[in-house]
Amino acid sequence: MKLIDKVKAVLNEIYRVKEDNKAIRLVIGAALARTVPQAKSLKDAEFKVFSQFGDDGIIQYLINHVKPKIDTFVEFGVENYEESNTRFLLMNNNWRGLILDGSPAHIEYIKNRSFFWQYDLTAIASFITAENINQLLAENGVSGQIGLLSIDIDGNDYWVWKAIKAVEADIVIAEYNSLFGAERAITVPYKADFVRTGEHYSNLYFGASLTALHDLAAEKGYSFVGCNQAGNNAYFVKNDKLNGLPPLSVADGFVAARFRESRSETGLLTLLNEKNRREMIENLPVINTRNGKQELL
């Protein structure tokens, strides 16, 4: 057997093992999803199949309470969709969805996976801005009421959610930056070409505080219902869809992130604790979303 054929055979076997692993995860996830109605809180419901942390379980918990009439989702910032908030929803609950990512390579990878033809999924390569998000949604057939919106673009998250008019979701998942604290309503200044690592080498300067997102959610008619235990995703539900879910204040629902993703100036993980991570981004500019003025972290 030629070397190239041996390499192909090994790669095919690796792919088969990976696909078998995903099939097993789906079966286990489906079993866990059936236990969600007994959960008493978001924390109790958490489990991971394709989400980065325990968000797959939280989403199952929320759709069980909210019971969206439109089983459509939108998620942007999915990278290659191997780790995402909506893939389990797609494959376990057979929802239809639109996913967007700024990398054409990521989208091409997604379109070559078997799940892409097995489910009703639209995947679009586009760098998302406050200026283009509504057009992107409309051009790809998504408008009006949807079940779930997931926002995770590591930068202009607050500004893009603020700009969205084309859809209204029953449930919104928005990434927050816990290093911005729980007291101030702040976000990074808007830059249409914001790229997290390019703005500061630490990889920690991005997004918005939970308080800023809480304020914006209230303006849009949502209540804050909690965060994942990892401390990076916040959950909001339309006020008329709570169905017994208790709204929370920021003080009651804030979770500080303990994962250590800070980078050195050469791009290496530094594994710093929370205090030292905060110090890395001190005095960088932020916008106070309550008065529109620039401040310093």
Side-chain angles (χ1 to χ4, degrees), residues 30-152:
L32 289 170
R34 289 193 287 272
T35 71
V36 162
Q38 285 74 56
K40 303 299 183 184
S41 66
L42 270 67
K43 181 179 179 181
D44 290 342
E46 285 201 25
F47 65 80
K48 166 188 169 72
V49 179
F50 293 113
S51 53
Q52 184 178 22
F53 296 107
D55 301 274
D56 285 327
I58 293 175
I59 292 167
Q60 294 295 309
Y61 176 80
L62 291 178
I63 65 171
N64 182 68
H65 276 81
V66 174
K67 296 178 172 54
K69 293 182 179 179
I70 309 297
D71 56 354
T72 298
F73 64 78
V74 173
E75 181 175 9
F76 39 89
V78 298
E79 296 189 346
N80 65 5
Y81 210 47
E82 289 294 319
E83 197 172 70
S84 61
N85 286 333
T86 59
R87 184 166 166 184
F88 185 66
L89 189 61
L90 175 82
M91 300 177 74
N92 182 68
N93 302 88
N94 201 29
W95 279 38
R96 64 181 291 268
L98 168 66
I99 57 176
L100 304 105
D101 192 82
S103 166
H106 284 153
I107 297 301
E108 185 63 23
Y109 175 89
I110 292 165
K111 289 182 175 180
N112 283 305
R113 305 277 73 79
S114 59
F115 65 80
F116 188 70
W117 66 263
Q118 292 171 339
Y119 299 92
D120 189 353
L121 184 66
T122 301
I124 300 297
S126 180
F127 190 88
I128 295 164
T129 68
E131 291 80 16
N132 71 9
I133 184 58
N134 288 297
Q135 182 179 352
L136 285 169
L137 294 171
E139 287 178 348
N140 289 287
V142 182
S143 62
Q145 195 68 35
I146 63 171
L148 183 141
L149 170 66
S150 180
I151 304 168
D152 180 359

Side-chain angles (χ1 to χ4, degrees), residues 134-189:
N134 288 297
Q135 182 179 352
L136 285 169
L137 294 171
E139 287 178 348
N140 289 287
V142 182
S143 62
Q145 195 68 35
I146 63 171
L148 183 141
L149 170 66
S150 180
I151 304 168
D152 180 359
I153 51 175
D154 292 344
N156 291 320
D157 304 67
Y158 173 91
W159 302 109
V160 170
W161 187 19
K162 186 177 179 68
I164 290 176
K165 308 294 183 187
V167 299
E168 187 172 88
D170 293 338
I171 301 163
V172 174
I173 310 167
E175 185 180 42
Y176 67 100
N177 189 337
S178 79
L179 292 177
F180 286 6
E183 294 76 29
R184 299 165 69 189
I186 54 176
T187 179
V188 293

Side-chain angles (χ1 to χ4, degrees), residues 222-297:
Y222 290 85
S223 292
F224 169 54
V225 296
C227 298
N228 63 4
Q229 292 185 75
N232 70 325
N233 282 331
Y235 287 81
F236 304 91
V237 173
K238 266 290 182 181
N239 293 333
D240 61 351
K241 301 291 179 65
L242 286 166
N243 294 335
L245 291 167
L248 299 177
S249 67
V250 171
D252 288 336
F254 178 82
V255 177
R258 293 187 176 179
F259 54 85
R260 300 176 297 164
E261 59 179 346
S262 56
R263 302 276 175 171
S264 68
E265 292 189 60
T266 57
L268 299 176
L269 277 171
T270 58
L271 304 177
L272 297 178
N273 62 27
E274 182 180 359
K275 177 178 179 294
N276 290 331
R277 293 199 305 274
R278 285 177 182 270
E279 290 174 353
M280 288 187 81
I281 54 175
E282 277 184 352
N283 297 318
L284 291 175
V286 290
I287 299 296
N288 183 318
T289 57
R290 291 179 175 172
N291 60 27
K293 295 182 179 179
Q294 183 167 295
E295 302 175 350
L296 298 179
L297 272 171

